[in-house]
Amino acid sequence: MSPSQTLPDHLELAPEVHLLTLPEPRFKRVLLQVHFERPLDADTPARSLLAQVLQQGSAAYPSRRALARRQEELFGAGVGLDSGRVAESSMLSLTCGCVGERFLPQGEKILADVLGLGRELLEAPLRGAGGSACDADVFAREQAQMLRQIDARSDDRSAYAFYQFVRQMCADEPFARFTLGTRAEALALQPDDLERVRTDLLARAAVQVVAVGPFDRGALRAQLQEWFANSGANLGGGADCSNNRGGDSGGGAPPADPSRREVVARPQPVTPGALREFHQQMSIDQARLLLGFRFPAPQDACAMEAMVLANAVYGGGLHGRLFQVVREQRSLAYGISSSPYLVKGLMVVSAGIDAAAHAGVRDEVLHQAGEMAAGRIEEQELAMAKASILNGLRGLGDSAGSLARFHLREFRLGFQRSPEQRAAQIDAVELDQVAAAASTWQADCSYLLSGDDGPASAATSSEEVSA
C-alpha cells in the first residue's frame, strides 16, 4: 500500500502522550519528532530560548563539538530542538533523524541511541558553575542572539506588518503572542526561568510523537513507553538517558503524576464588531495592507475542507479571484493573497500596494468576500482551487517530513485520514458548501503599514511602531 493510502498506527503511551508510527521502507532515513505542547502564554519566550540553550550541550556532551562528534559516531544522525506555535499552542519539538538499520553494518542498531541523545538534551542539560540552571556564557550568548532576532523583525517589512497586524487585531487573545516575545520579555529572562519551563514541559505538556521511515515499531514503542512512564523522574537530570554514558547534573525530582499533563484548549471564538482600521508609519517603499476576517472554526472534516476551498477560491494562489481581480484586472496591488488559520477561525488577506490605493484595495477585498458569500462562484474557480490542493497531496508520499506534518495535522484536528481519504473529501465539496463557508466570514480589522504618504483618513494607532 502506498504512503498516500496508509494510516499511521496510533497508541496512547500515557495520558495525553500519543504515538503515531508510519513504518515506511521506501525511505533511507528514519524521522522521529517529539512535540511538547503548552499554551501560548507568558512563558512562550522562555521556551524559545530554552530550545536554543539546551542544544548547546548536555551533561555527557558539554559542547556543540562534543554533540556533533557523537552524532557522527551514530552514522551521521541529527538531533535538534526547535520552538514554534500552532494556533494558540506553544510547541517545543525534538527532531531526530538517522539512517535506517537495513543500511547499516550487520547488527548495528542506532535509533535507540539517537533518541536517547535527544532525551538527554531535555533531561540532563548542561549545568553552570555550582550546579546552576545553565552555563552563564551559553545563556548570555543565546539571549543576545534572541534579541538580535527580535530587533531584526523590521528588516522584513511583510513579516513585520503581519506581526503588528496580529497584535492589533488579537490584542487581548493568546494568538497575539509570538514565539520570541517582545524585547522587554526577552531581556527579563533569567536562567531559572528556563529551568522552570523545562521541568514544566516534561511534567505537564501534552506530547505528540510522530515516526516515519524504516524502523522497528515495537522497539521504538517500548523505548518511548519507558521514557514517558518515568518522565518526571529525571527532571533534574541525572539518569543515563542516552544508552551510552550518563551524567549527573543535579538532584532528581519525584516522578510526575501523569494526570497532570494538560491538553491546550482550542481558541475561544471572538465575535467581531464593526471593521476596525489601524494605520502605522515607518520608512517603507511599498505599503502593506492586511485585512482580517473572523469565522466560526469548522467542527468536522467536511466543513473544514469547504473552508479551505473557500479560501483557495478567494485568495489562495495565482488562480484566486483576489489576485485575478485586484492585481490583474484592476492593477491595485503588486501582490495579494489570503491565508486561513482554521483552528483559530481567522483569515488574513495580505497585499503589497501603493498607499494611495489603500481604500480601493480594501473595498474590493470586502466586495469579493460578499460576492462569494452570495454564491457567485464559478465551477471553474472551484475546479482550479481543488487542483491546487490535490496536487500538493499527491506528492506527500515522497517526503518523510511532509508525511509527518500531514499526519500530525490530522491528529490535532481529530480527523486522522490518509492523504487519499482527504483528497476524496476535497473532491466531493460542492459550490453551495463553499458559499456557505464564505458566508461566515466577518471583516474585523484592517491594518496599513506605509511611509508618510499614507491616507489621512485611516485611523492611527496610538502605539508606536516598535518590536
Side-chain angles (χ1 to χ4, degrees), residues 216-236:
D216 182 324
R217 178 181 279 163
L220 176 61
R221 179 186 299 169
Q223 186 179 8
L224 289 165
Q225 282 178 322
E226 186 278 328
W227 180 3
F228 290 104
N230 300 285
S231 60
N234 302 316
L235 298 182

PDB file of all heavy atoms in Angstrom, residues 216-236:
ATOM      1  N   ASP A 216      11.837  -0.304  13.616  1.00  0.00           N
ATOM      2  CA  ASP A 216      11.128  -1.375  14.320  1.00  0.00           C
ATOM      3  C   ASP A 216      10.097  -0.725  15.233  1.00  0.00           C
ATOM      4  O   ASP A 216      10.453  -0.102  16.232  1.00  0.00           O
ATOM      5  CB  ASP A 216      12.129  -2.212  15.120  1.00  0.00           C
ATOM      6  CG  ASP A 216      11.478  -3.381  15.846  1.00  0.00           C
ATOM      7  OD1 ASP A 216      10.343  -3.248  16.325  1.00  0.00           O
ATOM      8  OD2 ASP A 216      12.129  -4.438  15.936  1.00  0.00           O
ATOM      9  N   ARG A 217       8.832  -0.870  14.872  1.00  0.00           N
ATOM     10  CA  ARG A 217       7.765  -0.218  15.632  1.00  0.00           C
ATOM     11  C   ARG A 217       7.745  -0.668  17.087  1.00  0.00           C
ATOM     12  O   ARG A 217       7.593   0.140  18.003  1.00  0.00           O
ATOM     13  CB  ARG A 217       6.423  -0.508  14.958  1.00  0.00           C
ATOM     14  CG  ARG A 217       5.223   0.074  15.670  1.00  0.00           C
ATOM     15  CD  ARG A 217       3.950  -0.297  14.934  1.00  0.00           C
ATOM     16  NE  ARG A 217       3.703   0.574  13.798  1.00  0.00           N
ATOM     17  CZ  ARG A 217       2.853   0.287  12.801  1.00  0.00           C
ATOM     18  NH1 ARG A 217       2.229  -0.875  12.776  1.00  0.00           N
ATOM     19  NH2 ARG A 217       2.668   1.144  11.823  1.00  0.00           N
ATOM     20  N   GLY A 218       7.905  -1.964  17.335  1.00  0.00           N
ATOM     21  CA  GLY A 218       7.847  -2.466  18.706  1.00  0.00           C
ATOM     22  C   GLY A 218       8.968  -1.940  19.568  1.00  0.00           C
ATOM     23  O   GLY A 218       8.751  -1.563  20.726  1.00  0.00           O
ATOM     24  N   ALA A 219      10.190  -1.901  19.036  1.00  0.00           N
ATOM     25  CA  ALA A 219      11.330  -1.413  19.811  1.00  0.00           C
ATOM     26  C   ALA A 219      11.178   0.064  20.140  1.00  0.00           C
ATOM     27  O   ALA A 219      11.469   0.510  21.262  1.00  0.00           O
ATOM     28  CB  ALA A 219      12.625  -1.661  19.039  1.00  0.00           C
ATOM     29  N   LEU A 220      10.715   0.858  19.160  1.00  0.00           N
ATOM     30  CA  LEU A 220      10.529   2.284  19.406  1.00  0.00           C
ATOM     31  C   LEU A 220       9.444   2.508  20.440  1.00  0.00           C
ATOM     32  O   LEU A 220       9.585   3.336  21.352  1.00  0.00           O
ATOM     33  CB  LEU A 220      10.169   2.990  18.092  1.00  0.00           C
ATOM     34  CG  LEU A 220       9.855   4.479  18.207  1.00  0.00           C
ATOM     35  CD1 LEU A 220      11.057   5.252  18.749  1.00  0.00           C
ATOM     36  CD2 LEU A 220       9.419   5.049  16.858  1.00  0.00           C
ATOM     37  N   ARG A 221       8.355   1.766  20.309  1.00  0.00           N
ATOM     38  CA  ARG A 221       7.257   1.906  21.267  1.00  0.00           C
ATOM     39  C   ARG A 221       7.727   1.612  22.686  1.00  0.00           C
ATOM     40  O   ARG A 221       7.396   2.338  23.627  1.00  0.00           O
ATOM     41  CB  ARG A 221       6.129   0.958  20.871  1.00  0.00           C
ATOM     42  CG  ARG A 221       4.930   0.983  21.808  1.00  0.00           C
ATOM     43  CD  ARG A 221       3.939  -0.094  21.415  1.00  0.00           C
ATOM     44  NE  ARG A 221       3.440   0.108  20.065  1.00  0.00           N
ATOM     45  CZ  ARG A 221       2.722  -0.806  19.401  1.00  0.00           C
ATOM     46  NH1 ARG A 221       2.467  -1.978  19.959  1.00  0.00           N
ATOM     47  NH2 ARG A 221       2.295  -0.544  18.184  1.00  0.00           N
ATOM     48  N   ALA A 222       8.514   0.563  22.860  1.00  0.00           N
ATOM     49  CA  ALA A 222       8.984   0.197  24.195  1.00  0.00           C
ATOM     50  C   ALA A 222       9.869   1.288  24.784  1.00  0.00           C
ATOM     51  O   ALA A 222       9.756   1.620  25.978  1.00  0.00           O
ATOM     52  CB  ALA A 222       9.749  -1.130  24.123  1.00  0.00           C
ATOM     53  N   GLN A 223      10.756   1.879  23.971  1.00  0.00           N
ATOM     54  CA  GLN A 223      11.638   2.923  24.478  1.00  0.00           C
ATOM     55  C   GLN A 223      10.848   4.170  24.880  1.00  0.00           C
ATOM     56  O   GLN A 223      11.118   4.790  25.920  1.00  0.00           O
ATOM     57  CB  GLN A 223      12.690   3.285  23.435  1.00  0.00           C
ATOM     58  CG  GLN A 223      13.743   4.263  23.962  1.00  0.00           C
ATOM     59  CD  GLN A 223      14.795   4.606  22.930  1.00  0.00           C
ATOM     60  OE1 GLN A 223      14.685   4.231  21.752  1.00  0.00           O
ATOM     61  NE2 GLN A 223      15.835   5.313  23.340  1.00  0.00           N
ATOM     62  N   LEU A 224       9.864   4.524  24.080  1.00  0.00           N
ATOM     63  CA  LEU A 224       9.053   5.699  24.392  1.00  0.00           C
ATOM     64  C   LEU A 224       8.159   5.448  25.604  1.00  0.00           C
ATOM     65  O   LEU A 224       7.950   6.361  26.423  1.00  0.00           O
ATOM     66  CB  LEU A 224       8.217   6.089  23.180  1.00  0.00           C
ATOM     67  CG  LEU A 224       9.012   6.700  22.016  1.00  0.00           C
ATOM     68  CD1 LEU A 224       8.182   6.709  20.745  1.00  0.00           C
ATOM     69  CD2 LEU A 224       9.468   8.120  22.369  1.00  0.00           C
ATOM     70  N   GLN A 225       7.660   4.250  25.747  1.00  0.00           N
ATOM     71  CA  GLN A 225       6.853   3.937  26.928  1.00  0.00           C
ATOM     72  C   GLN A 225       7.685   4.055  28.196  1.00  0.00           C
ATOM     73  O   GLN A 225       7.213   4.588  29.212  1.00  0.00           O
ATOM     74  CB  GLN A 225       6.263   2.530  26.803  1.00  0.00           C
ATOM     75  CG  GLN A 225       5.055   2.451  25.878  1.00  0.00           C
ATOM     76  CD  GLN A 225       4.506   1.053  25.732  1.00  0.00           C
ATOM     77  OE1 GLN A 225       5.261   0.081  25.674  1.00  0.00           O
ATOM     78  NE2 GLN A 225       3.190   0.934  25.665  1.00  0.00           N
ATOM     79  N   GLU A 226       8.929   3.588  28.122  1.00  0.00           N
ATOM     80  CA  GLU A 226       9.808   3.720  29.294  1.00  0.00           C
ATOM     81  C   GLU A 226      10.071   5.180  29.609  1.00  0.00           C
ATOM     82  O   GLU A 226      10.086   5.578  30.783  1.00  0.00           O
ATOM     83  CB  GLU A 226      11.122   2.983  29.013  1.00  0.00           C
ATOM     84  CG  GLU A 226      12.073   2.917  30.212  1.00  0.00           C
ATOM     85  CD  GLU A 226      12.906   4.190  30.379  1.00  0.00           C
ATOM     86  OE1 GLU A 226      13.233   4.828  29.358  1.00  0.00           O
ATOM     87  OE2 GLU A 226      13.217   4.545  31.535  1.00  0.00           O
ATOM     88  N   TRP A 227      10.282   5.997  28.577  1.00  0.00           N
ATOM     89  CA  TRP A 227      10.550   7.422  28.797  1.00  0.00           C
ATOM     90  C   TRP A 227       9.375   8.092  29.483  1.00  0.00           C
ATOM     91  O   TRP A 227       9.525   8.710  30.546  1.00  0.00           O
ATOM     92  CB  TRP A 227      10.851   8.085  27.454  1.00  0.00           C
ATOM     93  CG  TRP A 227      11.157   9.572  27.557  1.00  0.00           C
ATOM     94  CD1 TRP A 227      11.238  10.343  28.689  1.00  0.00           C
ATOM     95  CD2 TRP A 227      11.418  10.461  26.462  1.00  0.00           C
ATOM     96  NE1 TRP A 227      11.536  11.645  28.385  1.00  0.00           N
ATOM     97  CE2 TRP A 227      11.649  11.751  27.026  1.00  0.00           C
ATOM     98  CE3 TRP A 227      11.480  10.293  25.087  1.00  0.00           C
ATOM     99  CZ2 TRP A 227      11.925  12.876  26.233  1.00  0.00           C
ATOM    100  CZ3 TRP A 227      11.771  11.404  24.302  1.00  0.00           C
ATOM    101  CH2 TRP A 227      11.978  12.686  24.864  1.00  0.00           C
ATOM    102  N   PHE A 228       8.212   7.954  28.915  1.00  0.00           N
ATOM    103  CA  PHE A 228       7.087   8.750  29.413  1.00  0.00           C
ATOM    104  C   PHE A 228       6.405   8.139  30.626  1.00  0.00           C
ATOM    105  O   PHE A 228       5.667   8.830  31.324  1.00  0.00           O
ATOM    106  CB  PHE A 228       6.108   9.039  28.278  1.00  0.00           C
ATOM    107  CG  PHE A 228       6.683  10.005  27.287  1.00  0.00           C
ATOM    108  CD1 PHE A 228       7.159   9.578  26.062  1.00  0.00           C
ATOM    109  CD2 PHE A 228       6.814  11.345  27.622  1.00  0.00           C
ATOM    110  CE1 PHE A 228       7.726  10.473  25.164  1.00  0.00           C
ATOM    111  CE2 PHE A 228       7.383  12.244  26.732  1.00  0.00           C
ATOM    112  CZ  PHE A 228       7.838  11.803  25.500  1.00  0.00           C
ATOM    113  N   ALA A 229       6.675   6.874  30.892  1.00  0.00           N
ATOM    114  CA  ALA A 229       6.205   6.313  32.156  1.00  0.00           C
ATOM    115  C   ALA A 229       7.017   6.860  33.320  1.00  0.00           C
ATOM    116  O   ALA A 229       6.568   6.866  34.465  1.00  0.00           O
ATOM    117  CB  ALA A 229       6.311   4.787  32.131  1.00  0.00           C
ATOM    118  N   ASN A 230       8.251   7.346  33.013  1.00  0.00           N
ATOM    119  CA  ASN A 230       9.135   7.870  34.059  1.00  0.00           C
ATOM    120  C   ASN A 230       9.537   9.311  33.781  1.00  0.00           C
ATOM    121  O   ASN A 230      10.599   9.754  34.203  1.00  0.00           O
ATOM    122  CB  ASN A 230      10.398   7.010  34.145  1.00  0.00           C
ATOM    123  CG  ASN A 230      10.109   5.566  34.468  1.00  0.00           C
ATOM    124  OD1 ASN A 230       9.790   5.243  35.600  1.00  0.00           O
ATOM    125  ND2 ASN A 230      10.194   4.698  33.465  1.00  0.00           N
ATOM    126  N   SER A 231       8.697  10.049  33.053  1.00  0.00           N
ATOM    127  CA  SER A 231       9.113  11.364  32.570  1.00  0.00           C
ATOM    128  C   SER A 231       9.348  12.371  33.677  1.00  0.00           C
ATOM    129  O   SER A 231      10.026  13.360  33.467  1.00  0.00           O
ATOM    130  CB  SER A 231       8.076  11.920  31.586  1.00  0.00           C
ATOM    131  OG  SER A 231       6.814  12.037  32.234  1.00  0.00           O
ATOM    132  N   GLY A 232       8.825  12.152  34.858  1.00  0.00           N
ATOM    133  CA  GLY A 232       9.086  13.090  35.946  1.00  0.00           C
ATOM    134  C   GLY A 232      10.283  12.729  36.780  1.00  0.00           C
ATOM    135  O   GLY A 232      10.734  13.509  37.610  1.00  0.00           O
ATOM    136  N   ALA A 233      10.842  11.522  36.551  1.00  0.00           N
ATOM    137  CA  ALA A 233      11.914  11.056  37.432  1.00  0.00           C
ATOM    138  C   ALA A 233      13.244  11.738  37.180  1.00  0.00           C
ATOM    139  O   ALA A 233      14.097  11.775  38.046  1.00  0.00           O
ATOM    140  CB  ALA A 233      12.080   9.550  37.275  1.00  0.00           C
ATOM    141  N   ASN A 234      13.427  12.294  35.977  1.00  0.00           N
ATOM    142  CA  ASN A 234      14.739  12.833  35.609  1.00  0.00           C
ATOM    143  C   ASN A 234      14.690  14.331  35.334  1.00  0.00           C
ATOM    144  O   ASN A 234      15.474  14.840  34.554  1.00  0.00           O
ATOM    145  CB  ASN A 234      15.263  12.107  34.362  1.00  0.00           C
ATOM    146  CG  ASN A 234      15.372  10.617  34.587  1.00  0.00           C
ATOM    147  OD1 ASN A 234      15.852  10.199  35.620  1.00  0.00           O
ATOM    148  ND2 ASN A 234      14.908   9.837  33.627  1.00  0.00           N
ATOM    149  N   LEU A 235      13.768  15.031  35.968  1.00  0.00           N
ATOM    150  CA  LEU A 235      13.634  16.451  35.685  1.00  0.00           C
ATOM    151  C   LEU A 235      14.886  17.221  36.038  1.00  0.00           C
ATOM    152  O   LEU A 235      15.211  18.220  35.423  1.00  0.00           O
ATOM    153  CB  LEU A 235      12.436  17.031  36.441  1.00  0.00           C
ATOM    154  CG  LEU A 235      11.072  16.439  36.076  1.00  0.00           C
ATOM    155  CD1 LEU A 235       9.983  17.131  36.862  1.00  0.00           C
ATOM    156  CD2 LEU A 235      10.811  16.556  34.590  1.00  0.00           C
ATOM    157  N   GLY A 236      15.611  16.763  37.035  1.00  0.00           N
ATOM    158  CA  GLY A 236      16.839  17.448  37.399  1.00  0.00           C
ATOM    159  C   GLY A 236      18.023  16.998  36.577  1.00  0.00           C
ATOM    160  O   GLY A 236      19.062  17.618  36.611  1.00  0.00           O
TER     161      GLY A 236
END
